[in-house]
Amino acid sequence: MLTATRTHTAALSRLGHALADSTRAGVLLALRNGPAYPSDLAVTLGVSRQVMSNQLACLRGCGLVEAVSEGRRASYRLTEEHLTSALGELLHVTLAVEPDCCTGAGCTCA
């Protein structure tokens, strides 16, 4: 078993901070499917472009997402491919602990 150092604890705290906000958590979960533009993320999550900009800046600061320049636009992606599976596992744990958070045949969050 890995012994947690202060560096590990700080890194885990950054991830916890990122997940503590529903918009940031939504961005991270959305980016599991691949890169996305801020404007598309804002529409998907029902927030303004300014809010999305602020949340993406926070996630960049946490080291979880990165911008990829595409001419005058930039898309965002997860910085580490392991985040995709880790976020999926966290979502499965959440659904196991709180199964009523996703009900109905239309639920596709898992």
Side-chain angles (χ1 to χ4, degrees):
M1 178 178 283
L2 179 68
T3 301
T5 65
R6 287 186 181 181
T7 304
H8 295 128
T9 303
L12 193 57
S13 292
R14 284 193 306 275
L15 179 59
H17 175 74
L19 292 171
D21 178 88
S22 61
T23 300
R24 290 192 300 265
V27 169
L28 291 172
L29 291 173
L31 292 179
R32 290 183 313 150
N33 299 321
Y37 294 107
S39 58
D40 295 336
L41 289 167
V43 169
T44 298
L45 297 173
V47 298
S48 70
R49 289 183 181 197
Q50 182 61 47
V51 166
M52 183 54 58
S53 177
N54 292 340
Q55 300 300 356
L56 287 168
C58 179
L59 292 170
R60 280 194 318 269
C62 289
L64 300 172
V65 302
E66 62 188 357
V68 178
S69 294
E70 300 174 3
R72 293 177 17 162
R73 295 182 75 185
S75 64
Y76 283 79
R77 66 182 179 200
L78 297 174
T79 57
E80 171 59 46
E81 69 181 58
H82 292 100
L83 276 172
T84 300
S85 58
L87 290 166
E89 289 300 315
L90 280 172
L91 188 54
H92 284 338
V93 168
T94 301
L95 293 174
V97 172
E98 192 177 331
D100 293 337
C101 75
C102 186
T103 59
C107 178
T108 60
C109 65

